[in-house]
Amino acid sequence: MPEISRRTFLHLSGAVAAASTAGLPHPLRARPRRTPPVVVASGNGLRGVEKAYRMMTEEGADPLDAAIAGVNIQELDPADQSVGLGGLPDERGVVTLDASLMHGPTRRAGAVAALEDIATPSLVAKAVMDYTDHVILVGKGARDFAIRMGFKPQNLLTEQSRRDWLAWKTSLNARDNWLEWPDAAAKHTDGTIHMSAVTAAGDVSSVTTTSGLAWKIPGRIGDSPIVGAGQYCDNATGAAGATGRGEAAIQSCGSFLAVEFMRQGYDPEDACLETLRRVVAMTEDRLLDEQGRPQFGLSFYAVHKDGRYGAATMYEGPQFAVASAEGARLEPMAFLYPND
Ligand code: ASP
């Protein structure tokens, strides 16, 4: 076990004192989380963390290559309507994708935003990192670049996502020219996959990829393609990433902040919780309820380069995916607010 620094000890004591009112600390906190190598992801990344972990431990894969291979599973799965192929489209019915990534050992980054027709924006972001002197390409430029790099364009709008879009479109306004579908079901409008990985050598990488907010205004991008917001990685410390309301992760520089909190000595779970507290403090009044709680969901995931890991979410409920020597599994997330 590592020595607990005075700062961490004081911080933990404070968290214990706050536990009775804030629902913290989460019971799992007492369990030591220090088993490098390790991969963490949002809850939809269970298959992905298992793959990434296996690649790193059995094939000696680079942590970024492993994490990208992990998120590729969701990007290429038409049933995951929050990422890649089958992602829910914007208000016109056009699927646009965002992704960013960072490679700890080389301190490099790549990203694409508002990318159309390419199912694996994480790999296009990697190509931006590997083959250009830039960090972000957007829109048509990103698509043209991807095609020049050999990616094959395809229609990303699946029949299910098209029907969901149409159901949303026709139920918007009773006085427009669309006839409503009586059985139109409300559909979730967000989702993303984030994955962070640390190897046995303590090398760290992170990647986040998404189709963004469903039915978004064309041109809107969220936090996922923004380095420091949707993900961040510093090989001297660790990596973090976000899912949920992207605007809040952007306004707080959330993933950068979570890594900075780890650099200051916070445990990964505490770093995520502290970041959420900052998000709340930075939230506009119009997005707060009568009790001062944000009216949106947001989650952070973090790994320390020493193999500790953790995650936290605004409201009790979601789980996150972890793969370590103990296998791949879903674990409950710490949270700021219990569900009442
Ligand atoms: N963070 C994503 C975005 O704002 C959406 C999500 O994770 O739910 O685009």
Side-chain angles (χ1 to χ4, degrees), residues 42 82 98 188-194 208-214 216 220-225 230 242-250 297-299 301:
S42 41
S82 72
D98 300 335
H188 74 278
T189 55
D190 55 14
T192 292
I193 181 166
H194 166 75
T208 300
T209 172
T210 190
S211 51
L213 197 62
K216 60 198 169 190
R220 180 266 185 192
I221 61 168
D223 57 321
S224 307
T243 62
R245 182 177 163 84
E247 285 73 6
I250 294 171
L298 184 62
S299 304
Y301 316 84

XYZ file of all heavy atoms in Angstrom, residues 42 82 98 188-194 208-214 216 220-225 230 242-250 297-299 301, ligand 1:
272
model
N -16.515 4.473 -19.412
C -17.928 4.637 -19.107
C -18.591 3.261 -19.164
O -18.027 2.304 -19.705
C -18.553 5.610 -20.110
O -18.060 5.353 -21.411
N -25.028 6.040 -29.169
C -24.365 7.244 -28.652
C -22.993 7.461 -29.269
O -22.312 8.421 -28.931
C -24.232 7.140 -27.131
O -23.250 6.186 -26.762
N -17.680 13.202 -32.901
C -16.590 13.941 -32.248
C -15.697 12.950 -31.512
O -16.198 11.997 -30.899
C -17.136 14.883 -31.162
C -18.115 15.929 -31.664
O -18.053 16.281 -32.852
O -18.929 16.395 -30.835
N -33.363 8.421 -25.303
C -32.282 9.118 -24.612
C -31.563 10.023 -25.600
O -31.520 9.740 -26.801
C -31.291 8.114 -24.019
C -30.405 7.463 -25.034
N -30.804 6.389 -25.774
C -29.157 7.775 -25.463
C -29.828 6.045 -26.601
N -28.809 6.871 -26.431
N -31.023 11.100 -25.116
C -30.429 12.053 -26.049
C -28.944 12.270 -25.800
O -28.359 13.188 -26.322
C -31.143 13.412 -25.955
O -31.102 13.841 -24.598
C -32.555 13.317 -26.444
N -28.352 11.460 -24.956
C -26.910 11.621 -24.799
C -26.239 10.265 -24.633
O -26.884 9.229 -24.684
C -26.568 12.553 -23.624
C -27.204 12.093 -22.332
O -27.673 10.942 -22.278
O -27.220 12.877 -21.378
N -24.932 10.292 -24.422
C -24.162 9.053 -24.362
C -22.852 9.278 -25.096
O -22.752 10.167 -25.934
N -21.869 8.484 -24.787
C -20.498 8.699 -25.249
C -19.714 7.518 -24.718
O -20.148 6.876 -23.778
C -19.934 9.984 -24.604
O -20.611 11.115 -25.126
C -18.446 10.171 -24.817
N -18.512 7.255 -25.258
C -17.627 6.347 -24.544
C -16.296 7.054 -24.275
O -15.716 7.661 -25.179
C -17.434 4.993 -25.263
C -16.509 4.090 -24.439
C -16.932 5.150 -26.684
C -16.513 2.627 -24.880
N -15.902 6.987 -23.020
C -14.552 7.428 -22.648
C -13.773 6.201 -22.177
O -14.336 5.329 -21.508
C -14.563 8.460 -21.523
C -13.180 8.621 -20.956
N -12.195 9.308 -21.630
C -12.590 8.112 -19.848
C -11.065 9.215 -20.950
N -11.272 8.495 -19.861
N -11.848 9.701 -25.976
C -13.295 9.863 -25.823
C -13.890 10.010 -27.215
O -13.355 10.748 -28.051
C -13.618 11.107 -24.972
O -13.024 10.951 -23.690
C -15.127 11.273 -24.790
N -14.996 9.323 -27.469
C -15.625 9.368 -28.799
C -17.141 9.327 -28.649
O -17.665 8.669 -27.750
C -15.075 8.228 -29.703
O -15.820 8.176 -30.922
C -15.118 6.880 -29.032
N -17.840 10.048 -29.525
C -19.278 10.231 -29.327
C -19.973 10.673 -30.609
O -19.326 11.213 -31.518
C -19.519 11.320 -28.252
O -20.894 11.333 -27.885
C -19.134 12.700 -28.760
N -21.288 10.450 -30.646
C -22.095 11.120 -31.666
C -22.704 12.391 -31.074
O -23.464 13.098 -31.736
C -23.199 10.189 -32.184
O -23.927 9.625 -31.120
N -22.385 12.658 -29.799
C -22.802 13.918 -29.185
C -24.261 13.919 -28.791
O -24.927 12.888 -28.740
N -24.723 15.081 -28.524
C -26.110 15.262 -28.116
C -27.026 14.938 -29.297
O -26.820 15.452 -30.394
C -26.259 16.738 -27.739
C -27.435 17.192 -26.929
C -27.439 16.521 -25.556
C -27.335 18.711 -26.769
N -28.018 14.095 -29.039
C -28.961 13.798 -30.121
C -29.764 15.046 -30.465
O -30.046 15.876 -29.604
C -29.908 12.698 -29.688
N -28.994 17.660 -31.935
C -28.295 18.924 -31.684
C -28.443 19.897 -32.860
O -28.722 19.481 -33.991
C -26.815 18.643 -31.435
C -26.095 17.967 -32.606
C -24.781 17.328 -32.168
C -24.217 16.433 -33.261
N -23.080 15.613 -32.786
N -23.026 22.067 -33.570
C -22.708 21.973 -32.134
C -21.688 20.855 -31.905
O -21.836 19.749 -32.400
C -23.976 21.681 -31.338
C -23.779 21.548 -29.816
C -23.568 20.115 -29.384
N -23.508 20.001 -27.912
C -23.100 18.904 -27.279
N -22.705 17.852 -27.966
N -23.073 18.853 -25.973
N -20.650 21.144 -31.166
C -19.797 20.068 -30.686
C -19.795 20.126 -29.167
O -20.021 21.178 -28.564
C -18.356 20.134 -31.239
C -17.657 21.422 -30.828
C -18.359 19.962 -32.743
C -16.159 21.399 -31.090
N -19.565 18.985 -28.559
C -19.541 18.926 -27.105
C -18.119 18.931 -26.586
O -17.193 19.454 -27.212
N -17.956 18.297 -25.446
C -16.640 18.260 -24.797
C -15.726 17.193 -25.401
O -14.498 17.315 -25.339
C -16.802 17.976 -23.306
C -17.564 16.675 -23.052
O -18.537 16.395 -23.794
O -17.195 15.934 -22.128
N -16.331 16.141 -25.984
C -15.536 14.968 -26.373
C -14.348 15.293 -27.282
O -13.271 14.717 -27.103
C -16.429 13.919 -27.032
O -17.520 13.633 -26.198
N -14.485 16.211 -28.249
C -13.331 16.465 -29.126
C -12.400 17.540 -28.570
O -11.442 17.908 -29.251
C -13.995 16.957 -30.417
C -15.208 17.673 -29.941
C -15.695 16.912 -28.730
N -13.224 16.794 -22.685
C -13.728 15.428 -22.806
C -12.748 14.364 -22.376
O -13.131 13.234 -22.042
N -14.646 12.405 -19.589
C -15.999 12.765 -19.161
C -17.046 12.209 -20.104
O -16.790 12.034 -21.299
C -16.118 14.284 -19.109
N -18.223 11.959 -19.564
C -19.430 11.747 -20.360
C -20.557 12.522 -19.694
O -20.507 12.772 -18.491
C -19.827 10.261 -20.467
O -20.122 9.760 -19.150
C -18.717 9.421 -21.074
N -21.556 12.860 -20.479
C -22.665 13.633 -19.933
C -22.696 15.009 -20.578
O -22.162 15.189 -21.678
N -23.306 15.960 -19.901
C -23.481 17.290 -20.503
C -22.142 17.931 -20.868
O -21.400 18.427 -20.014
C -24.266 18.200 -19.560
C -24.516 19.572 -20.149
C -25.349 20.441 -19.239
N -25.232 21.836 -19.621
C -25.942 22.453 -20.575
N -26.846 21.802 -21.240
N -25.753 23.729 -20.847
N -21.866 17.939 -22.167
C -20.569 18.392 -22.638
C -20.300 19.852 -22.329
O -19.168 20.246 -22.038
N -21.357 20.669 -22.395
C -21.172 22.091 -22.148
C -20.588 22.314 -20.754
O -19.743 23.194 -20.547
C -22.514 22.831 -22.300
C -22.968 23.022 -23.755
C -23.471 21.755 -24.441
O -23.598 20.704 -23.763
O -23.736 21.795 -25.660
N -21.016 21.492 -19.781
C -20.521 21.651 -18.406
C -19.067 21.204 -18.285
O -18.281 21.805 -17.539
C -21.405 20.859 -17.436
N -18.708 20.156 -19.028
C -17.309 19.709 -18.993
C -16.404 20.721 -19.685
O -15.252 20.917 -19.279
C -17.187 18.332 -19.646
N -16.935 21.391 -20.705
C -16.131 22.423 -21.386
C -15.928 23.617 -20.455
O -14.808 24.108 -20.267
C -16.824 22.895 -22.685
C -16.886 21.761 -23.713
C -16.096 24.105 -23.271
C -17.743 22.071 -24.934
N -26.848 15.467 -16.064
C -25.925 14.427 -15.622
C -24.528 14.693 -16.165
O -24.364 15.259 -17.258
N -23.537 14.322 -15.398
C -22.146 14.443 -15.849
C -21.323 13.449 -15.031
O -21.536 13.302 -13.821
C -21.636 15.868 -15.636
C -20.228 16.170 -16.156
C -20.144 15.999 -17.667
C -19.824 17.607 -15.786
N -20.401 12.759 -15.697
C -19.566 11.756 -15.018
C -18.110 11.963 -15.411
O -17.820 12.329 -16.548
C -19.979 10.340 -15.438
O -21.349 10.110 -15.183
N -14.175 9.950 -15.116
C -13.463 8.677 -14.925
C -11.981 9.023 -14.868
O -11.516 9.862 -15.654
C -13.714 7.735 -16.106
C -15.167 7.717 -16.532
C -15.676 8.686 -17.410
C -16.048 6.773 -16.012
C -17.014 8.707 -17.773
C -17.389 6.788 -16.381
C -17.864 7.760 -17.258
O -19.195 7.767 -17.595
N -20.497 14.558 -23.644
C -21.232 14.332 -24.857
C -21.469 15.632 -25.544
O -21.770 16.599 -24.873
C -22.539 13.661 -24.670
C -22.636 12.639 -23.600
O -21.648 12.151 -23.109
O -23.751 12.288 -23.203
O -21.418 15.668 -26.739
